[in-house]
Amino acid sequence: MNHKIYMLLLACLSFWGCSKEFEKINTNPNAPEQVDAQFLLSNILWNAANNNAVDAWNAGNFLAQLTAKHNFNEIDRYDIRTNTELWNKTYLLLNDVKSLEALAENGNQSYKGVALVMRAFLFSTLTDLWGDVPYSDALKGVSDDNFSPQYDTQEEIYTGTNGILQTLRDAVTTLEASRNNLPIKGDLIFNGNVDQWIRFANSLRIRYLLRVSNKINVAAEMQDIVSSNLIMQSNLDNGLVPYLATAPSQWFVHTIREGDYSGVRLSNTIDSILTNLGDPRLEVWFKPTSVSQGAGMPTYKGIPNGLGPSSVGQYDLADVSTLGAIFRDQPAGVNAVFMLYSELQFALAEAVERGLIGGTAQMHYENGIQASFDYYQTPMPANYLSQTDVVWDGSISKIITQKWLASMLVGYEGWFNYRRTGFPVLTPALDNVNSDLIPVRYRYPDTEKAVNPTNYDAAVSRIGGDTYNLKIWWDKP
């Protein structure tokens, strides 16, 4: 009997020890269950900014005709497809944003304010590219066992009780109340400066209010923001993540193969405008052609957007400008940009001219031009503002054209503003495959048809199809 009791005790002790050892062995010390807020924030900011810059290079600049492409140029010819990769990456980042908000609930509320800003930015990217998208039901897979989210209308996404505009209002309120909190660690944009985050959030509000201003009355809210003066004050407030000179934080074009880099060229559209204005930003954004450099007479030449196989052979590519040194030769020559001070100034100029806010439109317009030149560390010619195609005359087209120039590599902003205003006037890509129509949205990812068919079908039925040419809510007349 004693022997049996001894063996039973030994078995129990062994089981207890093995259980502890099992738990220890099967716990990965390199994959903690809860990530510190600062590391989660850095991950969100870096990936969101980098995604915005990479997509600007790969798609946004082509659709806005800021650049052109001579090979592998499906997007430049308007076969833009679905961009499933950006859809997935953005929703994954939004899950991280949700986690950051949860971490901040019982801690440093500044993190929550920043998380709300990023939530608004990321959802605006989704809805401005696709239109109606999963919003109120999104990110509830684990928490609510809802892996088939409904699609919200874009109007609701922007203006609803928990929409983008309200999210940014809440972000500002949260940040203003958290000025005396612990510092924001892991902040790659403003190094923990809460006031700059407030100015950035309010500047994004101006961007999005202007974007929907053809649909709702935004004047009172815009004026309140401007009157508070809690908006970007200079290029020191630019919302961006700097690329670094060393891996893994370099600008990706610095290391891609030569063919991928040299496939992107100067577009005739931007060439004609920059050359006509004698705009020295041409020399920053592009290089003289190889032929002209060899002849000792550097000149810049573009190509039409959307060259097909038969058309591209008509051009001597050695006599067409590639992108400038900042995009290739310098690993930290550009930044991953969310929003620049110049954009805010152009937005304010348009808002004044349209009677949405008080102020002096000419001042904001000229401030915006100067800010763009300063951002690229390029002196503005003394006669630049007095030229016929630049001098202030109250023209919305001039405001948007300069805003378009300043949107180089800023996500899809040039394309968004063209869609909203029709400026600058763009000619459909030469050999396009979209019936001479400039696209106005991406198609939904094919995976949505497979994994979320009921809600996908409902959304497609509501908006009238799933093509590149269906205007989204804020884009409709």
Side-chain angles (χ1 to χ4, degrees):
M1 178 65 71
N2 288 337
H3 176 73
K4 291 181 179 180
I5 292 173
Y6 171 78
M7 293 300 294
L8 180 61
L9 287 172
L10 181 62
C12 290
L13 288 170
S14 297
F15 177 78
W16 178 75
C18 289
S19 296
K20 287 184 67 179
E21 192 66 21
F22 179 85
E23 182 178 351
K24 179 180 178 181
I25 291 172
N26 287 277
T27 299
N28 183 356
N30 297 316
E33 293 182 6
Q34 182 167 304
V35 180
D36 190 278
Q38 64 175 310
F39 303 120
L40 196 54
L41 176 60
S42 293
N43 175 72
I44 292 166
L45 297 181
W46 162 255
N47 282 291
N50 186 57
N51 292 347
N52 207 44
V54 170
D55 254 61
W57 175 270
N58 288 329
N61 280 358
F62 299 137
L63 291 170
Q65 297 188 11
L66 291 161
T67 56
K69 201 170 188 184
H70 74 78
N71 63 2
F72 306 110
N73 59 350
E74 292 87 354
I75 289 177
D76 203 25
R77 297 183 64 199
Y78 302 159
D79 182 15
I80 68 173
R81 305 181 187 179
T82 65
N83 204 345
T84 302
E85 183 180 8
L86 183 61
W87 171 285
N88 290 339
K89 289 193 296 188
T90 304
Y91 274 112
L92 283 171
L93 279 178
L94 280 163
N95 268 307
D96 286 345
V97 169
K98 182 178 180 180
S99 297
L100 182 59
E101 290 181 58
L103 286 176
E105 281 302 321
N106 298 313
N108 188 345
Q109 286 291 291
S110 296
Y111 283 109
K112 181 177 181 179
V114 171
L116 291 172
V117 174
M118 294 312 301
R119 169 188 278 266
F121 173 82
L122 291 168
F123 268 121
S124 75
T125 298
L126 288 165
T127 189
D128 291 342
L129 291 175
W130 284 275
D132 295 3
V133 297
Y135 184 78
S136 57
D137 272 358
L139 317 180
K140 293 183 177 180
V142 174
S143 61
D144 294 24
D145 196 30
N146 180 0
F147 294 96
S148 300
Q150 293 185 1
Y151 287 55
D152 295 71
T153 66
Q154 186 176 64
E155 180 177 9
E156 186 68 16
I157 292 169
Y158 263 110
T159 67
T161 304
N162 297 306
I164 290 170
L165 294 174
Q166 185 58 51
T167 298
L168 285 171
R169 295 182 200 115
D170 293 342
V172 171
T173 300
T174 302
L175 288 165
E176 286 179 332
S178 65
R179 278 194 176 95
N180 296 323
N181 276 11
L182 296 171
I184 308 174
K185 296 180 180 179
D187 178 7
L188 305 178
I189 303 180
F190 299 121
N191 197 29
N193 189 313
V194 174
D195 288 332
Q196 284 186 299
W197 272 105
I198 292 170
R199 292 197 286 273
F200 177 47
N202 278 329
S203 298
L204 284 176
R205 290 172 69 192
I206 295 290
R207 170 194 278 182
Y208 300 137
L209 286 167
L210 191 58
R211 188 157 292 168
V212 303
S213 60
N214 290 332
K215 290 298 180 182
I216 62 173
N217 187 344
V218 302
E221 184 169 356
M222 287 189 76
Q223 185 60 64
D224 285 345
I225 297 169
V226 173
S227 297
S228 75
N229 204 34
L230 294 174
I231 51 180
M232 292 178 176
Q233 301 296 309
S234 71
N235 279 327
L236 294 176
D237 288 332
N238 285 335
L240 56 82
V241 174
Y243 284 108
L244 304 181
T246 56
S249 302
Q250 293 173 323
W251 167 232
F252 87 106
V253 178
H254 179 66
T255 57
I256 60 175
R257 68 185 184 92
E258 178 63 24
D260 290 334
Y261 157 70
S262 63
V264 182
R265 300 295 178 115
L266 170 61
S267 163
N268 275 350
T269 305
I270 192 172
D271 182 21
S272 62
I273 293 175
L274 292 173
T275 299
N276 178 57
L277 298 178
D279 194 318
R281 287 175 292 183
L282 176 65
E283 300 170 19
V284 176
W285 293 333
F286 304 96
K287 293 179 179 178
T289 70
S290 297
V291 168
S292 67
Q293 286 180 303
M297 298 181 63
T299 56
Y300 298 81
K301 290 184 181 179
I303 55 174
N305 282 85
L307 293 178
S310 60
S311 298
V312 72
Q314 301 173 22
Y315 294 86
D316 177 6
L317 294 177
D319 203 25
V320 178
S321 294
T322 56
L323 272 287
I326 63 170
F327 297 104
R328 173 66 168 179
D329 307 332
Q330 303 167 21
V334 298
N335 300 304
V337 177
F338 292 111
M339 185 178 186
L340 297 174
Y341 171 68
S342 56
E343 179 192 334
L344 173 66
Q345 288 300 302
F346 292 126
L348 295 176
E350 181 185 350
V352 172
E353 192 60 27
R354 291 176 53 191
L356 299 174
I357 61 173
T360 306
Q362 180 178 357
M363 178 191 70
H364 291 301
Y365 170 70
E366 294 178 354
N367 283 350
I369 296 173
Q370 184 66 65
S372 181
F373 276 91
D374 291 346
Y375 175 71
Y376 286 102
Q377 301 178 32
T378 303
M380 183 168 65
N383 69 333
Y384 190 85
L385 295 177
S386 61
Q387 298 180 87
T388 301
D389 290 336
V390 180
V391 67
W392 175 250
D393 60 5
S395 168
I396 297 293
S397 65
K398 286 185 178 179
I399 297 173
I400 302 301
T401 297
Q402 286 293 332
K403 188 178 186 180
W404 170 78
L405 289 172
S407 71
M408 173 68 77
L409 211 67
V410 184
Y412 291 88
E413 285 306 307
W415 186 42
F416 292 158
N417 280 296
Y418 165 75
R419 285 160 48 189
R420 181 176 64 84
T421 67
F423 298 119
V425 176
L426 302 180
T427 300
L430 183 64
D431 296 322
N432 72 81
V433 293
N434 193 41
S435 303
D436 286 336
L437 297 173
I438 296 176
V440 292
R441 67 181 287 271
Y442 279 115
R443 290 189 292 106
Y444 291 124
D446 292 334
T447 50
E448 285 295 290
K449 301 177 187 178
V451 302
N452 193 13
T454 300
N455 292 308
Y456 165 83
D457 289 341
V460 169
S461 175
R462 183 170 63 237
I463 66 177
D466 188 15
T467 73
Y468 308 146
N469 306 315
L470 288 169
K471 290 182 178 291
I472 60 179
W473 170 71
W474 57 251
D475 200 13
K476 292 179 181 178

